[in-house]
Amino acid sequence: MKSMEKRVAYLRERAKELRKSALTMIYEAQSGHPGGAFSIADIVAALYFDEMNIRPEDPQWADRDRFVLSKGHVCPIVYAALGHKGYFGQEHLHTLRQEGAILQGHPCMKKCPGIDISTGSLGQGLSCAVGMAIAGKRDKKDYRVFAVVGDGECNEGQIWEAIMSAYTYKLDNLVLVIDNNRLQIDGTCDEIMPNIDLTRKLEAFGFETFDIDGHDMEEILATLAKCKASKNGRPKCINAHTIKGKGVSFMEDELAWHGIAPNQEQYEQGMKELREAWCSEENEEEDPTTVEEYLEGMKELEGGAK
Amino acid sequence: MMAGKLIATREGFGEEIVTMGKQNKDVYVVDIDIGKSCKTVKFRCELPEQYINVGIAEQNGAGVAAGLATTGKIPFVVTYAVFGSLRMVEQIRQEICYPNLNVKIACSHGGLTPANDGASHQAIEDMGVLRTIPNMTVIMPADYVATKKLVKAAAETYGPMFLRFTRDAVPVIYDEDQEFEIGKAVKISEGKDIAIIANGDTVRLGLEAKNLLEAEGVGVTLLDMHTIKPLDVDAVLEAAAKTGRIITVEDHNIINGLGSAVCEVVSEEANAKVKRIGVQDQFGMSAPYERLLAMNGITVENIVATAKEMLGR
Ligand SMILES: Cc1ncc(C[n+]2csc(CCOP(=O)(O)OP(=O)(O)O)c2C)c(N)n1
Ligand SMILES: [Mg+2]
């Protein structure tokens, strides 16, 4: 069980680094969407640094697991993951939304290595994930497809069309993660277009569902493992209960932080909070301090597991 | 008074729609979860009985608006131009234009103005696509003043309409008392050597180019063709007859927008050469708005250079 503890500690640190990078990107660009980036940071960390079978040095590897950010506006958190994984040089992490950048305001698969499909117009990415998953089945490949969809995004009818095709084609290689942060732009989801109970809805649409705390790394990992193990022909849905803006106190659960950049003071305060986050005293003593050391620790873990 | 002041035309929409809603209880706003950035928050607060938000569901929004219109209401469906045109185009065709219902699609983020959001959010095909649907009127005001007047006119004139506003700020070029009529160009200047026909956020560029050309003794007819459909055919033919040379300027793909509309008329009914300045049939990217315009030659310098080339100077 020690190894699970280490994995969790490592991934939490990773998620923290992703948040710091994303915040820096949005601050430097003075534009972007911090709220919904932070709500999925832990899940993105778990996927890119633990779960997904990917090769950063070969982004087009045919057997790779796919990642679809259907809610494309929060791409800085994924750019951070791609950058930290080595899909491209770290210097790119300072070019968000700039002229000529590979890091477009919304993800562009033609410009940025590691982006499996271009997104930005809500409601469309999940259909593309379905297409990738169907191809995986037809080509008898083992890869899996992970799609992150917003709870506001679930307003789009196309999401439900995609959900129906995933069931029809028995896509147990598809994992739909709903970022249930309860906020969209003009208000809470309950005010604008209540989702009522997404787990029950997805269950009724034939998915195998999991209700989780999207910031509990242990639960994230355990659920991803269950998704992987379950080859029952049913697509998977992780209804991740999250907090928009998670990790920076003044952004948490705040509608206003959907799509604005922090000023210098807010940025510094945010970075400070992120640096100090989750550093309980015992952890501080036990855990390696740099990302590189974590990576080393991770390698050991991986080696041990195999 | 306001001349020269920088202000996004979406602001003008947000103000005028409140005035319209107060005057006429049938004026509705149908928001699609981007009311904040499309400037309908004031309307929502002050006229909640005339306000609906359908969430992030453009196609549903178009249909709901059509239903409202069948009962005599005048819904303004409010979203970004790329979604308000392409995402719900078939609903617009089947349920709004075919039955000729009184629905207005009022969109912020027209053209390249959602600059750093990147290509996914830039609307370069919207006016062209909607122009091809029968019964549709397609409008892009040049500035804040024009926006307020044309939004008022839209609310008071029957029929399906698409109105397109800027995300980014553009200078105010008109006096408060300037009049606007849907389907009628504003003749900003009259000259015999060359005609510049622009719309929306590019009228300001046409104006600057006109001033530079006039300083060199070139007579310029400058038209603000805020309505590209129905096109002011008489104004185009008059400009063609007078100058024999037309430059169109638009923040839209050169295919099927203002330039194409002008060419259609000129090729059938006039003897004039037309050069189109606009987005060069290519997707945009994240970059400053002015840079995106420059990448497509939508600049004062290019208008002036094109004019000189046509004049053989
Ligand atoms: C088709 C479409 N309509 C509208 C938008 C504008 N928009 C960007 S983000 C957003 C709200 C998204 O809410 P949600 O899916 O809950 O995402 P999150 O809370 O994670 O930011 C909207 C309406 C868009 N990008 N695409
Ligand atoms: Mg949300």
Side-chain angles (χ1 to χ4, degrees):
Chain A
M1 237 32 276
K2 182 69 186 162
S3 90
M4 181 58 155
E5 264 170 40
K6 272 201 166 171
R7 257 167 92 202
V8 167
Y10 164 72
L11 290 170
R12 291 174 93 187
E13 191 69 17
R14 273 299 185 190
K16 189 163 101 181
E17 293 302 319
L18 295 185
R19 285 187 171 92
K20 280 159 65 183
S21 274
L23 190 63
T24 303
M25 269 184 249
I26 294 168
Y27 170 65
E28 287 176 353
Q30 274 305 296
S31 125
H33 301 78
F38 286 2
S39 54
I40 58 160
D42 301 294
I43 287 161
V44 167
L47 287 173
Y48 275 95
F49 292 93
D50 193 276
E51 181 70 10
M52 288 202 298
N53 189 20
I54 45 179
R55 293 179 180 166
E57 69 288 356
D58 184 10
Q60 294 299 321
W61 178 40
D63 293 330
R64 72 189 183 281
D65 285 345
R66 267 67 172 175
F67 181 81
V68 173
L69 184 66
S70 199
K71 44 169 242 176
H73 57 286
V74 306
C75 51
I77 202 78
V78 175
Y79 293 156
L82 295 175
H84 296 188
K85 285 295 280 189
Y87 278 86
F88 45 76
Q90 304 277 320
E91 68 279 7
H92 287 284
L93 295 176
H94 299 284
T95 64
L96 178 71
R97 292 180 171 232
Q98 284 176 20
E99 183 178 341
I102 65 171
L103 307 188
Q104 290 289 296
H106 294 79
C108 174
M109 67 187 291
K110 289 287 168 204
K111 294 198 163 93
C112 182
I115 296 294
D116 289 318
I117 189 79
S118 303
T119 51
S121 178
L122 292 168
Q124 307 193 18
L126 186 59
S127 301
C128 308
V130 166
M132 295 171 190
I134 291 175
K137 290 274 178 198
R138 295 278 160 97
D139 296 344
K140 307 221 168 0
K141 286 186 182 291
D142 286 333
Y143 70 72
R144 292 184 302 146
V145 184
F146 298 88
V148 173
V149 169
D151 49 0
E153 188 181 8
C154 290
N155 298 169
E156 289 283 3
Q158 190 180 344
I159 291 294
W160 300 93
E161 297 172 21
I163 284 169
M164 288 189 282
S165 16
Y167 175 76
T168 304
Y169 286 94
K170 301 188 172 52
L171 302 180
D172 54 11
N173 55 350
L174 175 72
V175 180
L176 157 62
V177 179
I178 301 180
D179 181 12
N180 199 335
N181 61 24
R182 302 179 318 282
L183 297 181
Q184 40 196 99
I185 292 187
D186 284 343
T188 64
C189 296
D190 278 344
E191 283 164 348
I192 302 299
M193 191 80 13
N195 279 310
I196 311 178
D197 185 335
L198 284 168
T199 304
R200 274 179 57 208
K201 280 186 181 171
L202 268 293
E203 196 69 43
F205 276 75
F207 275 53
E208 185 174 356
T209 58
F210 304 89
D211 246 300
I212 70 163
D213 172 349
H215 302 302
D216 180 333
M217 193 56 82
E218 205 168 327
E219 200 178 0
I220 294 172
L221 292 178
T223 308
L224 288 172
K226 282 186 209 158
C227 288
K228 188 170 193 171
S230 170
K231 301 203 163 122
N232 56 0
R234 291 171 72 191
K236 319 297 169 205
C237 171
I238 301 177
N239 182 1
H241 298 269
T242 59
I243 294 168
K244 208 161 172 171
K246 173 75 177 176
V248 174
S249 60
F250 55 88
M251 292 185 180
E252 286 188 4
D253 215 15
E254 276 296 333
L255 205 53
W257 283 100
H258 169 81
I260 53 166
N263 62 26
Q264 190 184 343
E265 192 187 325
Q266 292 162 331
Y267 171 66
E268 281 164 8
Q269 173 68 19
M271 290 299 274
K272 181 165 174 281
E273 288 185 19
L274 287 172
R275 270 194 302 273
E276 291 166 0
W278 300 309
C279 277
S280 66
E281 273 162 39
E282 44 177 304
N283 269 355
E284 242 175 329
E285 297 205 294
E286 223 181 274
D287 288 349
T289 48
T290 68
V291 166
E292 285 66 31
E293 285 174 38
Y294 269 102
L295 264 181
E296 277 308 306
M298 197 59 203
K299 272 192 202 133
E300 270 169 39
L301 267 180
E302 279 168 0
K306 269 165 202 161
Chain B
M1 233 182 311
M2 295 188 57
K5 199 181 152 198
L6 281 172
I7 181 162
T9 61
R10 59 178 163 152
E11 304 281 355
F13 166 70
E15 290 170 25
E16 190 61 25
I17 195 68
V18 174
T19 309
M20 290 294 101
K22 286 184 176 165
Q23 270 173 25
N24 182 350
K25 292 290 156 206
D26 283 334
V27 169
Y28 270 54
V29 163
V30 178
D31 251 336
I32 310 191
D33 196 39
I34 31 181
K36 256 185 207 158
S37 96
C38 298
K39 304 298 166 190
T40 52
V41 174
K42 193 154 182 262
F43 191 101
R44 173 183 176 177
C45 295
E46 295 187 12
L47 299 162
E49 292 298 319
Q50 292 157 251
Y51 178 83
I52 290 161
N53 195 323
V54 297
I56 313 167
E58 291 74 13
Q59 292 148 299
N60 185 42
V64 167
L68 287 167
T70 62
T71 71
K73 306 205 184 310
I74 308 170
F76 279 69
V77 181
V78 179
T79 178
Y80 294 162
V82 71
F83 310 133
S85 54
L86 305 183
R87 187 56 163 272
M88 52 202 220
V89 67
E90 206 212 342
Q91 282 77 8
I92 292 174
R93 178 185 188 270
Q94 309 290 10
E95 307 299 342
I96 296 173
C97 290
Y98 177 36
N100 198 25
L101 290 169
N102 197 15
V103 175
K104 321 296 171 188
I105 319 281
C107 295
S108 177
H109 290 47
L112 297 167
T113 69
N116 59 20
D117 280 329
S120 60
H121 284 53
Q122 292 157 6
I124 58 170
E125 316 89 344
D126 53 339
M127 299 178 80
V129 167
L130 294 182
R131 187 171 79 91
T132 63
I133 305 178
N135 291 338
M136 190 56 135
T137 292
V138 179
I139 297 172
M140 184 172 194
D143 73 352
Y144 170 82
V145 173
T147 298
K148 293 188 78 160
K149 301 256 167 121
L150 285 163
V151 167
K152 180 171 162 46
E156 293 170 351
T157 309
Y158 188 90
M161 289 181 196
F162 179 73
L163 296 114
R164 187 206 218 209
F165 313 118
T166 64
R167 179 202 177 279
D168 289 16
V170 291
V172 175
I173 56 178
Y174 289 114
D175 292 334
E176 299 280 352
D177 55 5
Q178 175 70 46
E179 291 190 5
F180 294 87
E181 196 183 316
I182 292 171
K184 196 129 186 39
V186 177
K187 196 188 285 174
I188 295 174
S189 73
E190 202 164 356
K192 61 173 179 19
D193 299 318
I194 197 149
I196 300 172
I197 305 181
N199 67 5
D201 48 317
T202 65
V203 174
R204 67 191 169 96
L205 304 177
L207 198 57
E208 275 187 58
K210 173 197 85 91
N211 291 340
L212 290 173
L213 287 163
E214 280 177 352
E216 295 189 33
V218 178
V220 181
T221 293
L222 175 61
L223 299 182
D224 170 1
M225 195 64 76
H226 48 73
T227 309
I228 69 161
K229 182 186 175 184
L231 190 73
D232 188 344
V233 173
D234 292 341
V236 172
L237 292 180
E238 192 193 309
K242 188 164 188 128
T243 65
R245 302 173 194 91
I246 297 174
I247 300 173
T248 61
V249 194
E250 61 195 310
D251 181 359
H252 185 280
N253 201 346
I254 50 160
I255 296 176
N256 212 9
L258 170 68
S260 299
V262 167
C263 286
E264 287 157 15
V265 170
V266 170
S267 65
E268 288 187 355
E269 295 178 46
N271 269 323
K273 177 127 182 137
V274 181
K275 290 260 187 190
R276 292 166 303 152
I277 292 177
V279 176
Q280 298 297 303
D281 196 25
Q282 61 184 352
F283 285 108
M285 62 176 80
S286 294
Y289 165 54
E290 297 291 342
R291 284 287 307 141
L292 291 167
L293 291 178
M295 286 173 207
N296 288 284
I298 310 172
T299 59
V300 175
E301 298 74 51
N302 192 33
I303 300 172
V304 170
T306 305
K308 288 187 176 168
E309 186 196 312
M310 291 175 89
L311 289 161
R313 288 203 176 197

